[in-house]
Amino acid sequence: MAGLLRLNAHFGGRLLTTGVAIAGTFQPYFWLNDHLPPRFDFLTPLDTAIPFLPWTYALYSSFFALLLGAAWLLDGHEYLRMLGAVLLANAVCYLGFVLFTAHYPRPPLDGIPPGFWREQFRQMRASDNAGNTFPSIHVATTLLGALRLRLQRGGALWVLWAVLICLSTLTVKQHYVVDVLGGVGVAWGVHALLFRRPVPALAAPVEVRS
């Protein structure tokens, strides 16, 4: 643990830790998405009424930039706590994918004018199938980051950004409304479990002189 704390004492180390964590969590995510047939349909009239706005993919993908912001602003100890919360939230979401498997009925790419946004969606859909919806990992991870960043300077702006990212999961037609609510529930539950009270700072060693 001491070595991990030393590694994450600087921004480069936190980037390395984040890369390893993301690479590790992507493996079960893609396996589940490729192998679980849909068993539930969560589509509601509200889902149908929400418009498909391809340009909001910019917000949707900015989720990664928010994580970089957390790596930059949080100290090593706090960032590792946040990353641990994200990994626990991922595990809870994976369980949801297994128990409540659903596939979102994505709109065809033909509805997007040829050009930049259609290409972005084509690339995303080529690697990310329509499953793994409930609860939304995208929402849970984003909110966990925002809950820790809200204590930093400009905290309200981080929270606003996170809310916009969560809403964009609906307007890019990646998630049902219930998925977003489930992701919010996972984030709040994990945060309440792991951050009920602040962890006291490690006391500096006291030098004893004879």
Side-chain angles (χ1 to χ4, degrees), residues 29-206:
Y29 176 90
F30 287 128
W31 190 92
L32 292 172
N33 209 354
D34 292 341
H35 291 85
L36 296 178
R39 296 185 295 117
F40 293 87
D41 181 2
F42 296 130
L43 193 69
T44 67
L46 179 55
D47 291 290
T48 305
I50 294 172
F52 178 38
L53 304 174
W55 62 267
T56 58
Y57 181 76
L59 283 169
Y60 181 80
S61 58
S62 72
F63 147 86
F64 294 104
L66 188 141
L67 291 181
L68 287 178
W72 176 260
L73 289 175
L74 300 179
D75 63 45
H77 187 256
E78 176 68 6
Y79 187 71
L80 285 175
R81 292 182 70 202
M82 190 208 79
L83 206 55
V86 166
L87 293 177
L88 177 57
N90 273 253
V92 173
C93 290
Y94 293 156
L95 180 61
F97 300 159
V98 173
L99 297 178
F100 306 101
T101 309
H103 287 190
Y104 194 94
R106 295 166 166 176
L109 294 182
D110 293 346
I112 307 174
F116 179 77
W117 294 120
R118 182 189 284 193
E119 179 60 20
Q120 298 308 304
F121 276 86
R122 187 196 65 77
Q123 292 182 17
M124 176 181 70
R125 293 183 183 184
S127 61
D128 189 8
N129 290 331
N132 287 0
T133 70
F134 179 83
S136 170
I137 279 185
H138 211 88
V139 169
T141 302
T142 297
L143 286 184
L144 280 171
L147 285 170
R148 304 318 299 163
L149 287 168
R150 81 189 195 282
L151 305 175
Q152 302 294 317
R153 185 175 181 179
L157 294 178
W158 289 105
V159 172
L160 175 61
W161 184 8
V163 169
L164 293 175
I165 291 174
C166 293
L167 293 176
S168 75
T169 66
L170 301 172
T171 56
V172 299
K173 297 300 180 178
Q174 282 287 100
H175 283 286
Y176 301 100
V177 171
V178 69
D179 301 340
V180 174
L181 297 177
V184 171
V186 170
W188 280 107
V190 169
H191 191 271
L193 177 67
L194 299 185
F195 295 93
R196 284 175 294 185
R197 52 184 177 273
V199 175
L202 297 176
V206 178

